[in-house]
Amino acid sequence: LRAHGLSDDPSSYAAIESPPAVEGEVTKVKDNKLVQLSIGSDDGLVPGHEFYLFRTKPRAEYIGKIKILSVDPDQAVGQVIGSTIQGKKIQEGDLVSSTIRPRG
């Protein structure tokens, strides 16, 4: 790795892996750009992971994607990638997931 100018520190590549199959909830929202989540490093999150942001009530709708900026054992902070779909406002209680699965 070093011969090609790349870091040999494994922690610098941790976020390259796909995030674990987990779901969490938005616990705080700031300026419709930053969100605090109910999941963190204890759930396998590391900075750089990306999650889908959606809500299920009153009807299921996709809101956008977030990228994890920082993690603590039981919470994380993420930032919206780009903007939300149609400018939708993120709300406490919205959900995040590493995958989008059909409901069944």
Side-chain angles (χ1 to χ4, degrees):
L1 290 171
R2 279 183 262 142
H4 294 285
L6 300 171
S7 171
D8 61 355
D9 177 9
S11 67
S12 66
Y13 299 106
I16 294 174
E17 294 180 22
S18 297
V22 295
E23 291 185 359
E25 187 173 304
V26 173
T27 56
K28 290 185 184 175
V29 182
K30 182 175 181 184
D31 299 328
N32 212 46
K33 285 288 182 193
L34 293 175
V35 293
Q36 182 175 307
L37 306 176
S38 64
I39 51 178
S41 60
D42 285 353
D43 301 292
L45 275 64
V46 296
H49 277 157
E50 293 183 3
F51 284 83
Y52 298 101
L53 181 62
F54 63 98
R55 72 176 51 111
T56 57
K57 295 178 182 178
R59 60 180 171 76
E61 58 183 326
Y62 174 74
I63 299 169
K65 282 183 82 174
I66 62 163
K67 182 175 186 173
I68 301 300
L69 299 178
S70 65
V71 294
D72 287 328
D74 60 351
Q75 65 183 7
V77 173
Q79 181 173 20
V80 174
I81 298 171
S83 59
T84 58
I85 301 297
Q86 299 175 342
K88 293 183 190 293
K89 296 291 184 198
I90 303 167
Q91 302 170 2
E92 291 180 11
D94 285 345
L95 303 174
V96 294
S97 178
S98 55
T99 60
I100 294 182
R101 297 185 311 270
R103 297 174 73 190

